Amino acid sequence: MVERELKSEIDQIFDHIEKGDNFLLSGGAGSGKTYTLVQCIIGIIDKFPNHKIACITYTNSAVKEIEERINHKNLQVLTIHDFLWDCIKNFQNELKHAIVTLANNPLQKKINIESPNVEMFSEGIRYMENLNLSKGIISHNELLVIAEYLFEKYEKLCDIIKDKFNFILIDEYQDTSELVIRIFLDHFRKGSKKNIIGFFGDAMQSIYEDGIGDLNKYKENAGGLVQEVKKLENRRSPLNVINLANKVRNDGLEQLPQLEKTNPIPPNMNEDGTIKVGEIRFLYSAENNLDKVRKYLEWDFNEKDKDGNLKCKELNLTHNLIAKESQFGSLMDIYNNDQILEYKYIVDVFLKNNPQIQIDENDTFGDAIEKSGQVPNGGKMSDFINSNIDLFNEAKSYKFNLFRKIYLNSDILTDDKKQNEKDLIKKGTKRDNLLKHLFKIQNCIRLYNEKRYNEFLKITDYKINSIEDKKILQDHIEALSKTDGKTIGDVIEKADEYKLVYADDKLYEFIQNKQYVYNRISKVKYSEFINLYNYLEGFTPFSTQHKTKGREFEKVLVILDKGGWNNYNFEYVFDDGTIYKSLVDGKAKSKLSNYPKIKERTEKIFYVCCTRSKEKLAVFFHNPKPSVINTAIAWFGEENTINIDNF
């Protein structure tokens, strides 16, 4: 039985600060780590009024959240990329040499540019969204590599930053790149100056592949560079969800429900101060019928709270699984399943590897196919091309030097970052210019329909100079709002014709460079884009399991379907040893070697999903093995492990 710590987490943190030690606050889901981070900052400002603090967060939204809670002249809140760029951007000579060195190092070639030299970068090194190393423009990944190299090479740089910031506090440390952790815990200690680094996060919620995951090798019992403080109480989840989450955790941190009745009352506490018991259910079926699952639960997935937020969320592992449910499958197929573009990639790679085959600037994709001699690799690719001959013939007519540059994937379609135009220059969004244009159109329509007229007038391109203009604007936006039966191309043309959202240079550039893509998307019904818009804006009950991190809902349904993603396997989470033994006995060496990593990765995403619930949690597993059901019974209880085929 875990015991509660008598001394508060803040007091423990300041004990370490007084000793000059780096510290780590480890807290499970719903423990209020951001609250503790804010309290820590307030305490530092109070105790050390002249000390400067850098607070580093994972996302721009987290920056805004912390800035809204604390506004002080000694505090600077930044994303990790912004922080690092601010640290190194003025050392232009060192930056140029770093790029050349890293690009030419055959053992550690992390900067991909051919035959670089310092003279290439006459305009200096800049950090922006779109990588262009030949022009000295680095992006996110290159920034991390270059920064780590510079901090390792120059002790003086470490001391400059330690002089600038007495405290550096890193939120959601588990999602931070290992390169960044090396800067703070390996390279910083080499300098002569001293400062304190504080980490806040949860190793069990490290669900992104490029994050360090944990600080085990740096903790007090393994190097002594970081002293750990554990935040055990959970203020979000009811008792049954906490007990389930503790069974899934694999790092020894066992959570307890918060007992103190605070104001406001914690989500997992009743008005009388008692802890909510909550409801957990493991549902399974031979059918993969989600409508049947929803019907069994009898939840109102469209129910909203007093602030207009949905009370229920259905969590799937991939956007592909959601696209069908949310009815934007055609757009997903274009961005994620275009086998003609996959074929183009085969031809392009072959030609790049065989420079003796010359491609003329007037050569088409069809010419490139003929010169390369490459054929579709059969299966899915051949089936797609044979089923879309007209589309394939159209593709073959495009100039290959433009066509070869077309790149699509589902991340472009489903990215939901919302930044302003200034942010877009530097760190922005993965959305292409066509999608950005469509979002502006739909934002106009939504704001008008919601009677948010001032906001609508700020973003529409229509200019009002008279009373008559107001009437024309009203007629046009109402006409544009009637999208039934219209294609995406129709709506773009009408928005431009009505002067509501002009087809600007960025859209024309997209069409010119990606005519093939535009032609495909413009034929899709606009109603499908509305479905995508509503999903990404959070107006539907659907979400990916990764996207929901940090959120909380009254009722949560988790769909345990890996959606064809081989990095995850929910069977491994519920394995009682039977599946692992079958891999050993079957001598499936490839699967066996990947088993531990896949199991751990899937346990973490499952943990994150379960701990979103404030009242009711249901998970659905399609056609589980007996060993999976056995573990479900042990975790959820026999009465809560339900075969819905019986209903």
Side-chain angles (χ1 to χ4, degrees):
M1 179 69 181
V2 65
E3 294 185 4
R4 296 177 192 271
E5 176 66 48
L6 295 177
K7 187 176 280 191
S8 74
E9 296 88 7
I10 287 292
D11 289 338
Q12 294 177 67
I13 287 171
F14 274 90
D15 285 346
H16 294 307
I17 288 175
E18 291 290 343
K19 297 174 186 175
D21 291 335
N22 299 326
F23 64 88
L24 160 65
L25 179 83
S26 294
S31 61
K33 294 182 290 297
T34 302
Y35 173 81
T36 303
L37 169 62
V38 169
Q39 293 301 112
C40 181
I41 294 171
I42 292 170
I44 291 171
I45 290 171
D46 182 58
K47 197 171 183 65
F48 308 101
N50 296 319
H51 285 193
K52 298 290 193 294
I53 308 163
C55 179
I56 297 170
T57 70
Y58 190 66
T59 64
N60 293 295
S61 59
V63 169
K64 292 173 184 175
E65 181 183 352
I66 293 170
E67 285 178 337
E68 285 171 359
R69 297 195 195 189
I70 314 174
N71 181 15
H72 194 273
K73 62 184 175 69
N74 290 344
L75 173 66
Q76 194 168 1
V77 189
L78 298 161
T79 65
I80 186 60
H81 289 86
D82 288 346
F83 175 83
L84 292 177
W85 181 240
D86 279 353
C87 289
I88 66 176
K89 65 184 179 183
N90 294 324
F91 301 97
Q92 284 292 319
N93 189 51
E94 289 80 2
L95 277 167
K96 293 173 186 177
H97 281 92
I99 291 175
V100 173
T101 301
L102 289 166
N104 286 326
N105 186 339
L107 299 178
Q108 199 177 16
K109 192 175 174 66
K110 294 180 179 177
I111 302 295
N112 189 18
I113 180 173
E114 292 297 325
S115 305
N117 58 72
V118 172
E119 288 71 31
M120 290 174 58
F121 309 123
S122 58
E123 295 183 16
I125 307 302
R126 291 165 288 165
Y127 165 52
M128 298 179 73
E129 171 73 17
N130 296 315
L131 175 69
N132 192 333
L133 281 171
S134 63
K135 294 184 178 179
I137 299 173
I138 63 173
S139 192
H140 312 317
N141 294 337
E142 293 74 25
L143 173 61
L144 298 182
V145 172
I146 294 166
E148 199 259 341
Y149 171 83
L150 291 175
F151 276 104
E152 181 179 27
K153 184 174 176 64
Y154 301 105
E155 287 185 14
K156 188 175 181 180
L157 177 59
C158 297
D159 283 341
I160 289 171
I161 304 309
K162 285 187 281 186
D163 263 346
K164 185 175 181 180
F165 295 108
N166 307 92
F167 293 88
I168 298 176
L169 308 179
I170 298 105
D171 192 21
E172 302 287 2
Y173 80 87
Q174 72 278 355
D175 296 327
T176 303
S177 167
E178 184 176 359
L179 296 173
V180 176
I181 302 300
R182 280 190 216 153
I183 291 171
F184 293 132
L185 293 181
D186 291 324
H187 307 329
F188 263 36
R189 61 178 168 146
K190 296 174 185 175
S192 59
K193 305 288 184 176
K194 175 69 179 172
N195 75 344
I196 291 175
I197 313 294
F199 300 90
F200 296 76
D202 180 11
M204 197 63 190
Q205 295 186 68
S206 59
I207 59 175
Y208 302 110
E209 289 300 298
D210 52 357
I212 190 168
D214 61 61
L215 298 181
N216 290 344
K217 74 175 184 178
Y218 296 106
K219 282 155 62 169
E220 63 266 28
N221 58 350
L225 291 177
V226 177
Q227 307 299 315
E228 185 175 24
V229 174
K230 291 185 177 181
K231 188 172 178 64
L232 301 179
E233 291 191 338
N234 182 324
R235 65 184 305 277
R236 174 194 299 148
S237 304
L239 189 59
N240 279 336
V241 172
I242 291 175
N243 291 338
L244 172 65
N246 284 337
K247 291 168 184 172
V248 179
R249 285 196 77 102
N250 54 27
D251 64 348
L253 192 152
E254 185 177 340
Q255 286 193 289
L256 300 161
Q258 178 174 317
L259 295 182
E260 181 186 1
K261 186 177 180 181
T262 56
N263 185 18
I265 297 173
N268 64 355
M269 187 175 286
N270 296 307
E271 290 287 339
D272 62 1
T274 58
I275 302 300
K276 295 176 182 177
V277 176
E279 178 184 287
I280 58 173
R281 283 184 280 183
F282 181 94
L283 311 178
Y284 64 98
S285 170
E287 296 181 74
N288 196 11
N289 186 338
L290 297 184
D291 284 336
K292 186 173 183 179
V293 176
R294 300 180 195 113
K295 185 176 180 181
Y296 172 82
L297 287 172
E298 296 182 332
W299 294 354
D300 181 357
F301 281 87
N302 295 309
E303 184 182 6
K304 295 181 180 179
D305 61 21
K306 59 181 176 60
D307 298 318
N309 300 312
L310 289 167
K311 290 185 175 183
C312 299
K313 276 290 176 181
E314 178 182 311
L315 309 182
N316 287 267
L317 189 57
T318 70
H319 292 293
N320 276 322
L321 292 166
I322 293 171
K324 182 180 177 182
E325 296 293 328
S326 290
Q327 298 181 351
F328 57 89
S330 297
L331 288 171
M332 178 61 78
D333 282 343
I334 291 171
Y335 274 86
N336 202 48
N337 192 34
D338 190 316
Q339 295 301 305
I340 293 172
L341 293 181
E342 289 297 312
Y343 180 27
K344 176 267 298 179
Y345 176 76
I346 293 173
V347 173
D348 192 30
V349 169
F350 179 85
L351 291 170
K352 285 178 179 177
N353 291 335
N354 294 274
Q356 72 276 12
I357 303 175
Q358 295 295 312
I359 293 294
D360 185 85
E361 64 178 11
N362 292 317
D363 279 346
T364 64
F365 178 35
D367 295 329
I369 292 171
E370 188 174 341
K371 287 185 176 182
S372 71
Q374 298 301 292
V375 297
N377 65 3
K380 184 178 180 181
M381 185 177 292
S382 295
D383 290 344
F384 182 91
I385 291 172
N386 290 333
S387 300
N388 295 273
I389 290 296
D390 290 344
L391 183 64
F392 182 48
N393 288 331
E394 178 190 336
K396 288 196 294 183
S397 70
Y398 291 115
K399 296 287 181 63
F400 186 61
N401 280 336
L402 272 181
F403 194 69
R404 75 196 313 173
K405 296 176 183 177
I406 295 176
Y407 173 75
L408 296 178
N409 70 18
S410 61
D411 287 347
I412 298 171
L413 183 72
T414 57
D415 185 67
D416 66 343
K417 292 179 184 175
K418 305 173 187 68
Q419 281 96 17
N420 60 36
E421 284 301 312
K422 290 181 181 178
D423 287 335
L424 291 177
I425 295 171
K426 185 163 57 176
K427 45 194 174 286
T429 160
K430 295 176 184 176
R431 284 179 192 159
D432 58 39
N433 285 328
L434 172 57
L435 290 170
K436 290 175 189 175
H437 189 81
L438 290 171
F439 265 83
K440 184 175 180 180
I441 291 173
Q442 188 55 28
N443 281 334
C444 282
I445 292 172
R446 179 167 71 90
L447 291 173
Y448 180 82
N449 288 340
E450 292 178 359
K451 296 181 171 54
R452 295 159 63 181
Y453 301 127
N454 288 336
E455 294 172 75
F456 162 65
L457 290 171
K458 286 179 181 178
I459 68 169
T460 181
D461 292 328
Y462 193 91
K463 303 303 178 188
I464 297 177
N465 298 309
S466 65
I467 294 175
E468 184 182 358
D469 286 342
K470 287 185 179 180
K471 180 66 172 73
I472 293 171
L473 174 59
Q474 180 181 357
D475 291 343
H476 284 175
I477 186 62
E478 288 182 357
L480 189 67
S481 299
K482 297 173 183 176
T483 58
D484 293 351
K486 292 177 183 173
T487 65
I488 287 174
D490 293 336
V491 172
I492 289 174
E493 289 177 10
K494 284 296 180 185
D496 183 61
E497 178 189 329
Y498 292 154
K499 303 178 183 179
L500 295 169
V501 179
Y502 285 124
D504 59 13
D505 291 344
K506 291 180 180 178
L507 179 63
Y508 284 127
E509 182 183 6
F510 180 95
I511 296 172
Q512 181 180 352
N513 294 333
K514 299 180 180 179
Q515 183 76 54
Y516 171 80
V517 179
Y518 182 80
N519 285 354
R520 289 201 70 189
I521 293 174
S522 65
K523 295 170 185 172
V524 175
K525 294 293 185 185
Y526 188 76
S527 58
E528 189 162 317
F529 174 75
I530 294 175
N531 294 336
L532 170 70
Y533 176 94
N534 288 337
Y535 163 61
L536 292 178
E537 293 296 301
F539 302 145
T540 75
F542 304 107
S543 175
T544 61
Q545 294 166 3
H546 287 79
K547 180 182 170 183
T548 196
K549 184 180 173 185
R551 307 284 302 283
E552 57 187 33
F553 308 95
E554 285 189 14
K555 304 181 185 78
V556 174
L557 168 61
V558 186
I559 308 301
L560 302 185
D561 184 331
K562 63 181 182 177
W565 199 348
N566 293 327
N567 288 336
Y568 295 86
N569 192 324
F570 289 107
E571 284 187 343
Y572 292 1
V573 175
F574 289 84
D575 185 14
D576 61 0
T578 305
I579 297 171
Y580 181 77
K581 186 175 183 302
S582 70
L583 295 177
V584 173
D585 293 344
K587 298 179 181 179
K589 291 185 178 179
S590 61
K591 288 187 177 181
L592 190 60
S593 62
N594 291 328
Y595 178 94
K597 287 185 178 180
I598 292 175
K599 179 178 171 67
E600 181 182 20
R601 186 183 296 125
T602 317
E603 282 174 339
K604 288 178 177 179
I605 196 70
F606 181 63
Y607 173 84
V608 167
C609 290
C610 291
T611 52
R612 301 309 96 199
S613 169
K614 296 190 292 183
E615 292 187 8
K616 296 183 179 183
L617 168 70
V619 302
F620 172 69
F621 205 120
H622 170 231
N623 203 24
K625 290 182 171 69
S627 59
V628 170
I629 296 174
N630 290 339
T631 301
I633 290 171
W635 287 0
F636 289 77
E638 189 165 5
E639 71 281 6
N640 296 318
T641 304
I642 303 161
N643 182 352
I644 62 173
D645 289 336
N646 298 328
F647 291 87

